[in-house]
Amino acid sequence: MYKLRSPILDLTVKLVLLLFLALFLSLLPGGLSRNTSTLRPPTVHIGAIFSHDSTIGRVAKVAVDAAVRDVNADPSVLKGTKLFVEMLDSSCNNFIGVAQALQFMETDVVAIIGPQSSSIAHVISHVANDLQVPILSFAATDPTLASLQYPFFVRTTQSDLFQMAAVAEIVDYYQWNQVTAVFIDDDHGRNGITSLGDKLAEKRHTISYKAALKPGATTNDIMNLLVKVALMASRIIVLHVNPDIGVKVFSTAKYLGMMSNGYVWIATDWLSSLLDSLAPLDSTTMETMQGVIVLRQHTADTKLKKDLISRWSQLPKNDRIENFMLNSYGLYAYDTVWLVSHALDAFFNDGGTISFSNDSNLHDAEGGKLHLEAMTVFDGGKILLKKIHNVNFDGVTGKVQFDSERNLINPSYDILNIVGNGWRTIGHWTNNSGLSIVSPEKIYTKIANLSTANQQLYNVIWPGETITKPRGWVFPNNGRELRIGVPNRVSFQQFISVSPQSNTIKGYCIDVFTASINLLPYPVPYRFIPFGDGRENPSYAKLAQMVASGELDVVVGDMTIVTNRTKIVDFTQPYTESGLVMVTPVKRQNSDAWAFLQPFTVEMWCITGLSLLVIGVVVWILEHRINDEFRGPPKKQIVTIFWFSFSTLFFAHRENTISTMGRVVLIIWLFVVLIIQSSYTASLTSILTVQHISPPFKGIDSLIASDEPIGFQVGSFAENYLVEELGISRSRLRALGTPKEYVRALDLGPKNGGVAALVDERPYIDLFLSTQCKFTVVGSEFTRSGWGFAFPRDSPLALDLSTAILTLSENGDLQRIHDKWLRASVCISQTSELESDSFQLHSFWGLFLICGMACTLSLVIYFVIMVCEFFRHCPVEESEPGSSRSQYSLQRFFSFIDEKEDAMNRSKRRKMQQESSSLDSIGSHNTLSPNQSSLGFSSITSP
């Protein structure tokens, strides 16, 4: 058994050793290189399609040639594989471009650079999807090419989506509302303008008119189109065309006077590519572009870019025009060749091979001679596409890398202003911070900040050589008059009145509108269209709907600016204030027998009475020992306290105060009494005179809480407000048409088929109450709004008219118009307060606090003085049998302070005390004994 197994075992060991040796050799650097080089083909072919005789194409052809030479000269890129790019000229013909793309599909190319045209890109992208050949375009900027429908389309330049975002940012920066778009009606122009509309809508701006030109439009076509544009309202024109047509547009616009003051022209990057390539243009062409704002794709000032520009003049140019310069599209074309090379290098490093296979679905129809079977599928197309999306290198345009949406990272544009024979940079746009004067390279190193306050551009010299920002809008000179809807009111015709016989419309609102329209710096033709049957006030909500739907251009009248209406129309600045108020009838009430108690609340009366007693007691204590008017039998003293207390209310007290503290307390109290008495008198007067007017409701809250019927004006928004906002049942509401109906409904009252209250807007109520004094406004306005003129959304005329209304307000004309139509007398009852509440205790607590503190402090000082005199002049004696010592001392203290003391006795006692002190100091033997001292004190005090 052993001998049989030995040869097999030896063979197995040898094979394992050979495998390990082969693996080891393959991992060596030299072995790895040799293995890799064997997998790489000697050559790789790429196709290129663009128009060699166009502004972009002639530059791209030179740039692609230079890039191919540079790639093949760099051994670190393809590592021995030679890159070949075959360039075909589509001659600006879409059919030829598509045919050339199909030709490339028969020659086993691994990628196609181009096409330059977005229209061709749409067609051949479908072919690329099936044959899995990546399409890399440096010039097709149509945003829709980035859709998921075209996975094999790779855009190696910036999408027009970002360019249109920059245009929208410029429009928003200068606060223009509408623009006119002039474009070529092909995939490139149409889809770019669609993106512009989307970006403008994000900022609440619109494209007011889309002026489409057919591809290859003649000067006559352009003339006819620009005449229509000149008749439009917007003076902001965005020009998104190709260079050939663009130059004709500016020349025609100059001829029509559309490059003058008031116009704004924003050209997309077609113009910057023309200026960069052929500058300087002849003076005649430059003269037609003065003041134009131009966008240009921003490319970083890299060292590679400077090197390419420096050797551009030495590069071979097989073209009739030899002096054209490098533009941004040429830079992107150069980077596109390098992008494909880096992707192929990564493709080969991962073991990718170039192989093609036939698709059984590709064959000619019976009798066909297209040879579709010659087209092959690139087997490694999906892998190469993935490598393209993962490319990351530094090119002449800066960092070349794709984001998650297959767009080049850090999109940015330069914003140029054409002046003289050149241009000046007024700022940049980036996806990170919007408009800025800081270079995009610095902006993309910071945190994104798209706030409005962060937007900044340098000053622009506009068409007409002015630095004043154009208004961007004029009234359209197309012969159509403004259709102005006017409510045909039945009531309150001081605001608007329509006379069917004379066909005249006048009133406060009409005068305000005509005065405002006359202040505009341009003529505005208009005609009034009455709305309503003349029998009842029309619906103002319906008028707003007619403006929103385009049936009317403006509504002029007493239209209130409310939330529901602002959602569908725009209003001017309010020309008068308004708000809902409640009107009720008033009743005169006779004062009852106890009306004199109403000025104060119960608490106030109680505290005032208690304070009177406290003051009487405090003054009695302070005056009792020294003032004969506060002495006598107990009954007399109690009567004196009460009499003195209450007589101070009328400053009729006859008792004089002698002590200093008593006078201080009395002065403070008399001041409190003065305040209380004045307040009482004023309140009682109000109760007996004004407050006899009493409304049935205190305010809107009490009206809501009741179940009484409520009146409102026909056509007013008050109906919906009461139902939807305040939750009042619609069954409680009564529609009233005229002031006479107001009076009748309020007089009848809720029990007789009338209403308990009327809710209407303040201007109507002021006019109504000027002649109806038996009704009154209760409470304050419970809505705040105003009247304005209604326009369609985003109407520039609304803004201009708002400015005119503010001017009328500032110069006093608005008030003069108001006084002309609405000045009237106001009932006295409307200017008086209907209620005055009783005075509360908290209104006077400060006075009572001061008085209480004075009393307390006086009593404390008084008792301290009495205690000191008691111990000084009344020696301690033995208590009587059966009583404690403290009780005896307390009795003696109260007896002491109850004794009468006048001023003379106090001076005599002070003199005796001084003599006694002098005798004690010389050691006299005649010092009085305690008993004698007591007898002596008794002898000078009255019993």
Side-chain angles (χ1 to χ4, degrees), residues 6-22:
S6 178
I8 299 175
L9 180 62
D10 292 342
L11 182 61
T12 304
V13 172
K14 290 178 181 179
L15 289 173
V16 171
L17 290 175
L18 288 173
L19 288 173
F20 274 108
L21 181 61

PDB file of all heavy atoms in Angstrom, residues 6-22:
ATOM      1  N   SER A   6       3.040   6.350  -2.803  1.00  0.00           N
ATOM      2  CA  SER A   6       4.158   7.288  -2.785  1.00  0.00           C
ATOM      3  C   SER A   6       4.268   8.115  -4.047  1.00  0.00           C
ATOM      4  O   SER A   6       4.412   9.339  -3.986  1.00  0.00           O
ATOM      5  CB  SER A   6       5.456   6.522  -2.526  1.00  0.00           C
ATOM      6  OG  SER A   6       6.537   7.398  -2.545  1.00  0.00           O
ATOM      7  N   PRO A   7       4.192   7.546  -5.261  1.00  0.00           N
ATOM      8  CA  PRO A   7       4.281   8.398  -6.460  1.00  0.00           C
ATOM      9  C   PRO A   7       3.154   9.413  -6.547  1.00  0.00           C
ATOM     10  O   PRO A   7       3.350  10.579  -6.965  1.00  0.00           O
ATOM     11  CB  PRO A   7       4.208   7.382  -7.600  1.00  0.00           C
ATOM     12  CG  PRO A   7       4.634   6.090  -6.998  1.00  0.00           C
ATOM     13  CD  PRO A   7       4.154   6.107  -5.603  1.00  0.00           C
ATOM     14  N   ILE A   8       1.959   9.031  -6.150  1.00  0.00           N
ATOM     15  CA  ILE A   8       0.808   9.959  -6.207  1.00  0.00           C
ATOM     16  C   ILE A   8       1.001  11.113  -5.235  1.00  0.00           C
ATOM     17  O   ILE A   8       0.757  12.288  -5.545  1.00  0.00           O
ATOM     18  CB  ILE A   8      -0.502   9.202  -5.905  1.00  0.00           C
ATOM     19  CG1 ILE A   8      -0.711   8.124  -6.956  1.00  0.00           C
ATOM     20  CG2 ILE A   8      -1.680  10.150  -5.847  1.00  0.00           C
ATOM     21  CD1 ILE A   8      -1.909   7.234  -6.674  1.00  0.00           C
ATOM     22  N   LEU A   9       1.498  10.774  -4.070  1.00  0.00           N
ATOM     23  CA  LEU A   9       1.735  11.804  -3.052  1.00  0.00           C
ATOM     24  C   LEU A   9       2.810  12.765  -3.504  1.00  0.00           C
ATOM     25  O   LEU A   9       2.685  13.991  -3.345  1.00  0.00           O
ATOM     26  CB  LEU A   9       2.112  11.140  -1.738  1.00  0.00           C
ATOM     27  CG  LEU A   9       2.387  12.096  -0.549  1.00  0.00           C
ATOM     28  CD1 LEU A   9       1.136  12.895  -0.231  1.00  0.00           C
ATOM     29  CD2 LEU A   9       2.829  11.293   0.683  1.00  0.00           C
ATOM     30  N   ASP A  10       3.876  12.232  -4.108  1.00  0.00           N
ATOM     31  CA  ASP A  10       4.950  13.122  -4.588  1.00  0.00           C
ATOM     32  C   ASP A  10       4.448  14.053  -5.680  1.00  0.00           C
ATOM     33  O   ASP A  10       4.802  15.248  -5.713  1.00  0.00           O
ATOM     34  CB  ASP A  10       6.108  12.263  -5.138  1.00  0.00           C
ATOM     35  CG  ASP A  10       6.817  11.494  -4.027  1.00  0.00           C
ATOM     36  OD1 ASP A  10       6.637  11.909  -2.858  1.00  0.00           O
ATOM     37  OD2 ASP A  10       7.509  10.515  -4.331  1.00  0.00           O
ATOM     38  N   LEU A  11       3.633  13.543  -6.551  1.00  0.00           N
ATOM     39  CA  LEU A  11       3.091  14.391  -7.621  1.00  0.00           C
ATOM     40  C   LEU A  11       2.212  15.508  -7.077  1.00  0.00           C
ATOM     41  O   LEU A  11       2.248  16.656  -7.533  1.00  0.00           O
ATOM     42  CB  LEU A  11       2.305  13.510  -8.606  1.00  0.00           C
ATOM     43  CG  LEU A  11       1.704  14.234  -9.815  1.00  0.00           C
ATOM     44  CD1 LEU A  11       2.816  14.884 -10.647  1.00  0.00           C
ATOM     45  CD2 LEU A  11       0.894  13.250 -10.658  1.00  0.00           C
ATOM     46  N   THR A  12       1.432  15.170  -6.070  1.00  0.00           N
ATOM     47  CA  THR A  12       0.537  16.180  -5.453  1.00  0.00           C
ATOM     48  C   THR A  12       1.336  17.300  -4.809  1.00  0.00           C
ATOM     49  O   THR A  12       1.036  18.490  -4.954  1.00  0.00           O
ATOM     50  CB  THR A  12      -0.384  15.524  -4.425  1.00  0.00           C
ATOM     51  OG1 THR A  12      -1.105  14.476  -5.054  1.00  0.00           O
ATOM     52  CG2 THR A  12      -1.330  16.531  -3.805  1.00  0.00           C
ATOM     53  N   VAL A  13       2.403  16.925  -4.119  1.00  0.00           N
ATOM     54  CA  VAL A  13       3.242  17.936  -3.450  1.00  0.00           C
ATOM     55  C   VAL A  13       3.885  18.861  -4.460  1.00  0.00           C
ATOM     56  O   VAL A  13       3.949  20.078  -4.298  1.00  0.00           O
ATOM     57  CB  VAL A  13       4.299  17.236  -2.564  1.00  0.00           C
ATOM     58  CG1 VAL A  13       5.302  18.262  -2.022  1.00  0.00           C
ATOM     59  CG2 VAL A  13       3.622  16.505  -1.416  1.00  0.00           C
ATOM     60  N   LYS A  14       4.365  18.283  -5.581  1.00  0.00           N
ATOM     61  CA  LYS A  14       5.004  19.100  -6.609  1.00  0.00           C
ATOM     62  C   LYS A  14       4.022  20.104  -7.226  1.00  0.00           C
ATOM     63  O   LYS A  14       4.356  21.262  -7.489  1.00  0.00           O
ATOM     64  CB  LYS A  14       5.577  18.194  -7.699  1.00  0.00           C
ATOM     65  CG  LYS A  14       6.785  17.380  -7.229  1.00  0.00           C
ATOM     66  CD  LYS A  14       7.274  16.464  -8.343  1.00  0.00           C
ATOM     67  CE  LYS A  14       8.472  15.623  -7.869  1.00  0.00           C
ATOM     68  NZ  LYS A  14       8.935  14.711  -8.944  1.00  0.00           N
ATOM     69  N   LEU A  15       2.793  19.622  -7.470  1.00  0.00           N
ATOM     70  CA  LEU A  15       1.803  20.532  -8.042  1.00  0.00           C
ATOM     71  C   LEU A  15       1.468  21.700  -7.106  1.00  0.00           C
ATOM     72  O   LEU A  15       1.328  22.848  -7.537  1.00  0.00           O
ATOM     73  CB  LEU A  15       0.515  19.760  -8.386  1.00  0.00           C
ATOM     74  CG  LEU A  15       0.617  18.796  -9.569  1.00  0.00           C
ATOM     75  CD1 LEU A  15      -0.667  17.976  -9.697  1.00  0.00           C
ATOM     76  CD2 LEU A  15       0.888  19.551 -10.867  1.00  0.00           C
ATOM     77  N   VAL A  16       1.344  21.380  -5.822  1.00  0.00           N
ATOM     78  CA  VAL A  16       1.065  22.439  -4.839  1.00  0.00           C
ATOM     79  C   VAL A  16       2.192  23.449  -4.798  1.00  0.00           C
ATOM     80  O   VAL A  16       1.987  24.664  -4.749  1.00  0.00           O
ATOM     81  CB  VAL A  16       0.799  21.833  -3.462  1.00  0.00           C
ATOM     82  CG1 VAL A  16       0.720  22.940  -2.396  1.00  0.00           C
ATOM     83  CG2 VAL A  16      -0.486  21.029  -3.470  1.00  0.00           C
ATOM     84  N   LEU A  17       3.437  22.979  -4.846  1.00  0.00           N
ATOM     85  CA  LEU A  17       4.588  23.882  -4.812  1.00  0.00           C
ATOM     86  C   LEU A  17       4.613  24.776  -6.050  1.00  0.00           C
ATOM     87  O   LEU A  17       4.924  25.968  -5.986  1.00  0.00           O
ATOM     88  CB  LEU A  17       5.888  23.066  -4.711  1.00  0.00           C
ATOM     89  CG  LEU A  17       6.112  22.372  -3.361  1.00  0.00           C
ATOM     90  CD1 LEU A  17       7.371  21.487  -3.432  1.00  0.00           C
ATOM     91  CD2 LEU A  17       6.269  23.398  -2.240  1.00  0.00           C
ATOM     92  N   LEU A  18       4.297  24.188  -7.211  1.00  0.00           N
ATOM     93  CA  LEU A  18       4.273  24.978  -8.438  1.00  0.00           C
ATOM     94  C   LEU A  18       3.195  26.078  -8.383  1.00  0.00           C
ATOM     95  O   LEU A  18       3.410  27.205  -8.843  1.00  0.00           O
ATOM     96  CB  LEU A  18       4.042  24.061  -9.650  1.00  0.00           C
ATOM     97  CG  LEU A  18       5.230  23.165 -10.055  1.00  0.00           C
ATOM     98  CD1 LEU A  18       4.801  22.187 -11.150  1.00  0.00           C
ATOM     99  CD2 LEU A  18       6.392  24.025 -10.533  1.00  0.00           C
ATOM    100  N   LEU A  19       2.054  25.732  -7.795  1.00  0.00           N
ATOM    101  CA  LEU A  19       0.983  26.735  -7.671  1.00  0.00           C
ATOM    102  C   LEU A  19       1.393  27.887  -6.757  1.00  0.00           C
ATOM    103  O   LEU A  19       1.139  29.063  -7.051  1.00  0.00           O
ATOM    104  CB  LEU A  19      -0.300  26.077  -7.170  1.00  0.00           C
ATOM    105  CG  LEU A  19      -1.031  25.164  -8.163  1.00  0.00           C
ATOM    106  CD1 LEU A  19      -2.196  24.457  -7.474  1.00  0.00           C
ATOM    107  CD2 LEU A  19      -1.539  25.987  -9.341  1.00  0.00           C
ATOM    108  N   PHE A  20       2.026  27.535  -5.644  1.00  0.00           N
ATOM    109  CA  PHE A  20       2.498  28.582  -4.731  1.00  0.00           C
ATOM    110  C   PHE A  20       3.551  29.454  -5.380  1.00  0.00           C
ATOM    111  O   PHE A  20       3.587  30.671  -5.200  1.00  0.00           O
ATOM    112  CB  PHE A  20       3.053  27.962  -3.438  1.00  0.00           C
ATOM    113  CG  PHE A  20       1.991  27.707  -2.398  1.00  0.00           C
ATOM    114  CD1 PHE A  20       1.582  26.425  -2.108  1.00  0.00           C
ATOM    115  CD2 PHE A  20       1.406  28.773  -1.703  1.00  0.00           C
ATOM    116  CE1 PHE A  20       0.611  26.184  -1.164  1.00  0.00           C
ATOM    117  CE2 PHE A  20       0.437  28.536  -0.743  1.00  0.00           C
ATOM    118  CZ  PHE A  20       0.028  27.238  -0.476  1.00  0.00           C
ATOM    119  N   LEU A  21       4.439  28.869  -6.159  1.00  0.00           N
ATOM    120  CA  LEU A  21       5.470  29.634  -6.842  1.00  0.00           C
ATOM    121  C   LEU A  21       4.854  30.593  -7.873  1.00  0.00           C
ATOM    122  O   LEU A  21       5.261  31.750  -7.985  1.00  0.00           O
ATOM    123  CB  LEU A  21       6.442  28.672  -7.536  1.00  0.00           C
ATOM    124  CG  LEU A  21       7.613  29.336  -8.294  1.00  0.00           C
ATOM    125  CD1 LEU A  21       8.473  30.151  -7.321  1.00  0.00           C
ATOM    126  CD2 LEU A  21       8.457  28.260  -8.992  1.00  0.00           C
ATOM    127  N   ALA A  22       3.878  30.088  -8.605  1.00  0.00           N
ATOM    128  CA  ALA A  22       3.228  30.952  -9.594  1.00  0.00           C
ATOM    129  C   ALA A  22       2.506  32.121  -8.933  1.00  0.00           C
ATOM    130  O   ALA A  22       2.528  33.263  -9.415  1.00  0.00           O
ATOM    131  CB  ALA A  22       2.248  30.122 -10.424  1.00  0.00           C
TER     132      ALA A  22
END
